C-alpha cells in the first residue's frame, strides 16, 4: 500500500491538520465502523469508484459517495466499506477550523456526508482533475495547498474565543465545567453557543461529550488490561451506567465489546 501524509505550510496549517494520500489498501475485512472523532474532512476519490455508507444492521448501501464529498462533525458512528484497493486524497481539517472553506455554517454539515458538487456547485471539480494529473504524492500535496488557498471564503483567521474553547474542551474534557468556560469567554452564553455551533458544527456541550468519548477511546488504546471503573472515573463520568450509555451512543458497542474488536486505528472498528 502507498500511504503518505503532509502537513501544509502557514497559513493553511492554522486550519488544515494534514493531507493524506493512500492507494492500494487491502484490509482483511469488508466493512468497518467509523467512530465520531470531532473532525471535518473533504475526501477526493481518485480511483473512479463509488464508495458507500451502509445501514448499520442490514449492511445495505444507504448513500453513495462519488468523486468528492465532505463529512461534517458527527455525533454518531458510520458504517463504511473498508476501502479495498481504493485511491483517496483526504483533507483533514483542524478541529473547529474548517469554516472558512465551507459555503454554509458548519452546523448545517453536522452528521452529514454531502456531495461536493451540490455543496460547492462544482467549485471543487477542478481539484480532483489537478490531483489526477499530478504525478507524485508530493505534487498532489502541492496542488492541494494551492487550490485550498484560493477557495477559502474569508481570511484565515481563527476566532480567539472559539479556538480557546475548543482547546480547553480537548485538553481536559473530563474536568470541563461549561458554565465556567462561558464566564471566561467574554460573550453572552447564548451568543457564544451560536457562534461555536456555526464555526464548529455542534454546540459546546455536544463537543465536550465527543472529546470525552475520544479520551476514553485513546485510554483504551494505551491500556493493556482495562479497569473500566478507573477509566470511567478518570474520563469524567459520574458512574458506570453513565459511562456505558455514552460510549454505546457514540460507538454502537459497549466498552468491553469495543476493546475486543478495536484495530490499530482506534476510530475504525472492523465489522467483518
Amino acid at each position: 500500500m502507498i500511504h503518505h501524509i503532509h502537513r501544509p505550510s502557514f497559513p493553511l496549517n492554522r486550519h488544515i491538520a494534514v493531507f493524506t494520500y493512500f492507494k492500494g489498501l487491502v484490509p482483511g475485512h469488508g466493512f468497518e465502523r467509523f467512530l465520531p472523532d470531532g473532525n471535518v474532512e473533504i475526501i477526493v476519490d481518485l480511483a473512479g469508484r463509488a464508495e458507500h455508507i451502509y445501514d448499520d444492521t442490514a449492511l445495505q448501501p444507504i448513500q453513495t459517495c462519488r468523486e468528492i464529498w465532505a463529512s461534517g462533525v458527527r455525533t454518531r458512528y458510520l458504517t463504511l466499506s473498508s476501502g479495498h484497493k481504493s485511491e483517496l486524497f483526504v483533507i483533514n481539517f483542524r478541529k473547529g477550523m474548517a469554516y472558512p472553506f465551507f459555503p454554509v455554517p458548519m452546523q448545517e454539515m453536522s452528521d452529514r456526508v454531502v456531495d461536493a458538487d451540490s455543496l460547492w456547485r462544482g467549485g471543487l471539480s477542478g481539484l480532483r482533475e489537478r490531483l489526477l494529473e499530478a504525478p507524485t504524492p508530493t505534487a498532489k500535496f502541492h496542488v492541494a495547498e494551492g487550490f485550498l488557498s484560493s477557495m477559502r471564503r474569508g481570511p484565515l483567521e481563527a476566532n480567539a474565543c472559539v479556538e480557546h474553547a475548543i482547546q480547553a474542551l480537548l485538553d481536559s474534557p473530563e474536568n470541563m465545567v461549561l458554565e465556567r468556560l462561558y464566564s471566561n469567554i467574554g460573550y453572552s452564553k447564548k451568543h457564544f453557543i451560536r457562534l461555536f455551533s456555526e464555526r464548529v458544527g455542534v454546540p459546546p456541550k455536544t463537543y465536550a461529550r465527543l472529546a470525552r468519548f475520544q479520551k476514553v477511546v485513546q485510554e483504551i488504546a494505551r491500556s493493556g488490561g482495562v479497569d473500566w471503573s478507573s477509566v470511567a472515573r478518570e474520563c469524567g463520568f459520574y458512574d458506570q451506567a453513565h459511562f456505558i450509555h455514552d460510549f454505546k451512543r457514540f460507538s454502537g458497542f459497549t466498552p468491553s465489546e469495543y476493546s475486543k474488536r478495536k484495530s490499530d486505528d482506534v476510530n475504525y472498528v472492523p465489522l467483518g
Side-chain angles (χ1 to χ4, degrees):
M1 182 185 76
I2 299 171
H3 180 248
H4 295 269
I5 64 171
H6 172 73
R7 290 176 174 81
S9 56
F10 182 85
L12 277 182
N13 63 355
R14 290 292 310 279
H15 290 260
I16 297 172
V18 69
F19 298 134
T20 302
Y21 169 74
F22 66 87
K23 180 179 180 179
L25 176 67
V26 185
H29 54 275
F31 301 95
E32 54 196 14
R33 184 167 292 176
F34 184 24
L35 306 186
D37 56 7
N39 289 339
V40 173
E41 298 172 327
I42 296 174
I43 302 98
V44 185
D45 167 50
L46 300 176
R49 52 180 289 169
E51 300 289 342
H52 301 287
I53 299 172
Y54 292 85
D55 177 85
D56 298 320
T57 303
L59 295 181
Q60 295 297 314
I62 57 175
Q63 184 176 348
T64 301
C65 304
R66 291 186 174 90
E67 295 195 349
I68 310 179
W69 59 94
S71 176
V73 170
R74 291 170 296 105
T75 63
R76 67 181 311 278
Y77 51 86
L78 292 177
T79 300
L80 310 171
S81 59
S82 59
H84 185 79
K85 294 186 177 179
S86 56
E87 182 180 7
L88 298 177
F89 189 97
V90 181
I91 301 161
N92 193 305
F93 291 92
R94 289 193 179 279
K95 288 178 168 58
M97 298 298 169
Y99 57 89
F101 299 89
F102 279 72
V104 295
M106 294 309 298
Q107 73 262 37
E108 294 186 24
M109 290 295 302
S110 179
D111 283 315
R112 296 181 67 200
V113 178
V114 182
D115 177 80
D117 276 347
S118 64
L119 189 61
W120 282 277
R121 301 187 183 280
L124 279 184
S125 58
L127 173 60
R128 183 175 185 272
E129 293 167 4
R130 294 181 199 179
L131 289 172
L132 285 168
E133 292 170 357
T136 66
T138 298
K140 294 181 193 301
F141 295 140
H142 181 73
V143 163
E145 283 208 41
F147 194 97
L148 287 163
S149 293
S150 67
M151 72 168 282
R152 66 183 185 269
R153 289 188 297 127
L156 292 182
E157 297 176 1
N159 179 282
C161 292
V162 173
E163 193 171 22
H164 167 75
I166 291 169
Q167 199 57 55
L169 293 170
L170 294 175
D171 286 346
S172 189
E174 73 281 7
N175 295 321
M176 182 51 56
V177 178
L178 289 174
E179 294 300 329
R180 187 189 308 146
L181 176 65
Y182 298 145
S183 69
N184 294 331
I185 289 298
Y187 292 113
S188 71
K189 175 180 175 180
K190 182 178 180 180
H191 177 74
F192 180 69
I193 290 174
R194 183 174 66 251
L195 178 65
F196 190 97
S197 300
E198 288 174 351
R199 295 197 171 216
V200 178
V202 293
K205 183 176 181 180
T206 302
Y207 207 84
R209 293 180 68 194
L210 283 170
R212 186 169 56 187
F213 168 72
Q214 279 296 314
K215 183 178 177 67
V216 173
V217 166
Q218 299 300 327
E219 183 62 32
I220 292 172
R222 282 191 295 269
S223 304
V226 181
D227 179 343
W228 297 118
S229 296
S230 176
V231 169
R233 183 174 59 255
E234 291 173 6
C235 293
F237 294 92
Y238 52 80
D239 61 29
Q240 194 82 348
H242 178 213
F243 168 52
I244 294 172
H245 176 271
D246 251 31
F247 195 94
K248 194 163 186 177
R249 178 185 184 277
F250 287 126
S251 72
F253 301 115
T254 65
S256 58
E257 287 172 339
Y258 168 79
S259 184
K260 292 173 184 176
R261 287 175 171 265
K262 68 180 176 65
S263 64
D264 291 339
D265 191 328
V266 296
N267 285 311
Y268 288 86
V269 184
L271 295 179

